[in-house]
């Protein structure tokens, strides 16, 4: 039995942080590309990527990584995508596929698609996986296993092009689903963006407390708080860009959240035990669903 | 080398859920009491506790468990403590110690202390440990290892009495700290009660979504949301009682949280990237503190 042929000749990862380096490792370990290169503006990051042996070359200029690649994956914060696309576009090989790993999809299409020349395909992707750690040393090849990757290609993108990107993620161990980009952004606003916003808020509230209380908050964090601090340790630039680019969906779900929080606050103030109990009971069904879906 | 002598002759656990059964297991495994008994109103729970072999007897009436015990630990939701104390008080042995594992401490003292006869000591305790699971089968002996237990004894409680309870928790592997009860309630409001309230809220917001979006929320929960569902899967009666009995401290910290959330919401609406980035950066210091304190 022989291993399946590589899916791509040259895979270019623009940015080599947690997700980019995990994809590099998976592509290397599972033989998904003949050549894997990356770019990073940061010299230390480039040196680290080379030292880890996860790429054959690490360039300062994304153009040098993208040149001659048949798959280019943008793995930097989404706020950089417009400039990146404009910069690499003239150097892309005909038939090349541009993809990404960004957590928002409408803004990515808006910022990237207009720059791409005819004959270059855009297949936006979002692997829903991660940890609270950042940088090339934080990645690992199995990060995507059992998780979902959502693809949001434009109507009219050739099926075989979408399928090549889908196959890349499947070979990384991921389940793949296609979705409308606006719908993706609404779903992720609740499953990911709002939880991060809330976690950042509560940890910020705690860090504004008086110093002596703050040290106790750290000491006694095992009661729930530490889980929020883990979420709120994610990369600040990445999250700034997510909130700026998925503004409307986030504000809409935040509005619902605030209404619900106000209702619970009133129930506490009025001592309405039954209302609290009912609310705390109904949330269990969702947890059961997540356990049943093996995403727990 | 011989094992240290048991600290108590008869340990009575009123309630045998996650915490009570973990304490029973630890007391059995580490030889902390000559006899361990429990009470539960629920016949199935009593049968399970006996089947697990973690108690010598399981009574329906807390009086039967408390009778003759030299340490009685209330392990039911804090809303039950007043009635329990009134009920068992006439049957307590002189010199007995009454303790608990409740997540609030001022209300416990207010509800329990007035019922106890002279010569019986109250040493309120709060082991800061837990999981999202409930019931006697969910417990394990090592639950308290490396965690903190806070004691909030009244001024004037004899040192040797407090020390016996402290030693119980230390032998369970816990670190022990004394604290003023009102201060405990303020610290826990932020490290535990607010995180749970927020988690219950966001999972509730999600469960009110249209059915098709809800199934996607479950499917794509790995982006942060699933951590909240775990927290929001905790016992509803226990949490109802916590919010009803620590109302003021919870409402006070909730007010600060809401102000901070409103500020972030405005920054998102106005597209203020620098304000978002600054906020998302300052929260990292707290995470580092938790990792350094080995509570991560």
């Amino acid at each position: 039995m022989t291993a399946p042929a590589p899916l791509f000749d040259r895979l270019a990862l623009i940015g080599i942080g947690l997700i980019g380096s995990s994809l590099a490792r998976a592509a290397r370990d599972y033989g998904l590309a003949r050549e894997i290169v990356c770019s990073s503006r940061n010299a230390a990051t480039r040196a680290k990527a080379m030292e880890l042996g996860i790429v054959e070359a690490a360039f300062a200029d994304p153009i040098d990584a993208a040149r001659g690649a048949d798959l280019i994956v943008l793995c930097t914060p989404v706020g950089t995508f417009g400039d990146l696309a404009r910069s690499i576009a003239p150097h892309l090989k005909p038939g090349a596929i541009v993809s990404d790993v960004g957590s928002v999809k409408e803004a990515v299409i808006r910022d990237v698609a207009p720059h791409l020349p005819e004959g270059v395909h855009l297949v936006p992707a979002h692997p829903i996986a991660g940890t609270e750690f950042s940088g090339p040393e934080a990645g690992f090849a199995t990060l995507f296993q059992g998780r979902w990757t959502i693809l949001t290609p434009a109507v009219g993108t050739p099926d075989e092009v979408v399928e090549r990107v889908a196959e890349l993620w499947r070979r990384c161990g991921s389940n793949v689903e296609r979705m409308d980009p606006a719908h993706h952004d609404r779903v992720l606003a609740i499953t990911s963006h709002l939880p991060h916003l809330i976690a950042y808020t509560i940890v910020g509230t705690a860090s504004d407390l008086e110093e002596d209380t703050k040290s106790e908050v750290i000491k006694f964090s095992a009661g729930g708080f530490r889980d929020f601090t883990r979420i709120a340790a994610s990369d600040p630039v990445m999250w700034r860009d997510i909130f700026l680019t998925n503004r409307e969906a986030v504000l809409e779900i935040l509005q619902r959240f605030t209404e619900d929080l106000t209702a619970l606050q009133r129930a506490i103030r009025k001592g309405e035990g039954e209302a609290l109990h009912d609310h705390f009971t109904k949330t269990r069904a969702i947890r059961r669903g997540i356990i049943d879906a093996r995403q727990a």
Side-chain angles (χ1 to χ4, degrees), chain A residues 25-110:
Chain A
R25 285 171 170 91
R28 180 195 60 182
D29 293 0
Y30 312 144
L32 307 183
R34 288 200 170 77
E35 184 189 13
I36 306 165
V37 301
C38 76
S39 72
S40 171
R41 288 182 311 179
N42 186 308
T45 302
R46 295 194 298 274
K48 176 57 85 174
M50 292 302 289
E51 182 197 321
L52 290 167
I54 55 179
V55 291
E56 268 109 302
F59 301 98
D61 191 331
I63 292 172
D64 295 322
R67 189 177 281 129
D70 43 356
L71 176 65
I72 300 94
V73 184
L74 309 180
C75 304
T76 49
V78 289
T80 64
F81 285 7
D83 286 347
L84 274 174
R86 189 173 46 235
S87 156
I88 64 173
H91 310 277
L92 295 173
K93 181 167 114 171
I97 303 172
V98 173
S99 187
D100 74 306
V101 296
S103 301
V104 300
K105 295 270 75 70
E106 277 210 297
V108 166
I109 294 165
R110 180 197 67 206

Side-chain angles (χ1 to χ4, degrees), chain A residues 150-165:
Chain A
I150 299 177
L151 304 184
T152 64
V155 177
T157 309
D159 265 351
E160 63 273 22
V161 168
V162 179
E163 187 47 36
R164 282 181 76 194
V165 177

Side-chain angles (χ1 to χ4, degrees), chain A residues 65-261:
Chain A
R67 189 177 281 129
D70 43 356
L71 176 65
I72 300 94
V73 184
L74 309 180
C75 304
T76 49
V78 289
T80 64
F81 285 7
D83 286 347
L84 274 174
R86 189 173 46 235
S87 156
I88 64 173
H91 310 277
L92 295 173
K93 181 167 114 171
I97 303 172
V98 173
S99 187
D100 74 306
V101 296
S103 301
V104 300
K105 295 270 75 70
E106 277 210 297
V108 166
I109 294 165
R110 180 197 67 206
D111 293 350
V112 173
H115 300 295
L116 300 186
E118 194 136 349
V120 166
H121 306 288
L122 175 63
V123 182
H126 179 200
I128 303 178
T131 74
E132 71 272 30
F133 303 108
S134 313
E137 64 281 16
F140 50 99
T142 57
L143 177 61
F144 312 109
Q145 278 182 14
R147 300 295 168 203
W148 285 90
T149 297
I150 299 177
L151 304 184
T152 64
V155 177
T157 309
D159 265 351
E160 63 273 22
V161 168
V162 179
E163 187 47 36
R164 282 181 76 194
V165 177
E167 185 60 18
L168 173 84
W169 287 107
R170 280 194 291 263
R171 291 215 200 153
C172 289
S174 182
N175 304 308
V176 175
E177 178 140 319
R178 282 203 205 189
M179 207 184 268
D180 166 77
H183 187 69
H184 166 278
D185 289 357
R186 281 196 304 274
V187 170
L188 268 289
I190 178 136
T191 60
S192 180
H193 307 170
L194 182 59
H196 277 81
L197 185 66
I198 296 303
Y200 276 119
T201 304
I202 194 169
V203 179
T205 304
S207 69
D208 286 341
L209 294 169
E210 320 75 69
E211 276 308 316
D212 57 333
T213 308
K214 201 155 61 176
S215 71
E216 289 174 323
V217 165
I218 287 171
K219 204 160 162 181
F220 306 120
S221 60
F225 184 71
R226 66 177 161 160
D227 298 316
F228 287 70
T229 65
R230 197 178 48 69
I231 298 174
S234 303
D235 184 60
V237 174
M238 170 181 150
W239 281 99
R240 176 199 65 193
D241 285 1
I242 289 171
F243 292 116
L244 293 178
T245 53
N246 198 22
R247 192 187 306 201
E248 279 166 40
V250 168
L251 291 175
E252 203 271 327
I253 194 71
L254 181 54
Q255 181 60 36
R256 294 193 192 204
F257 169 82
T258 305
E259 285 169 18
D260 294 344
L261 184 60

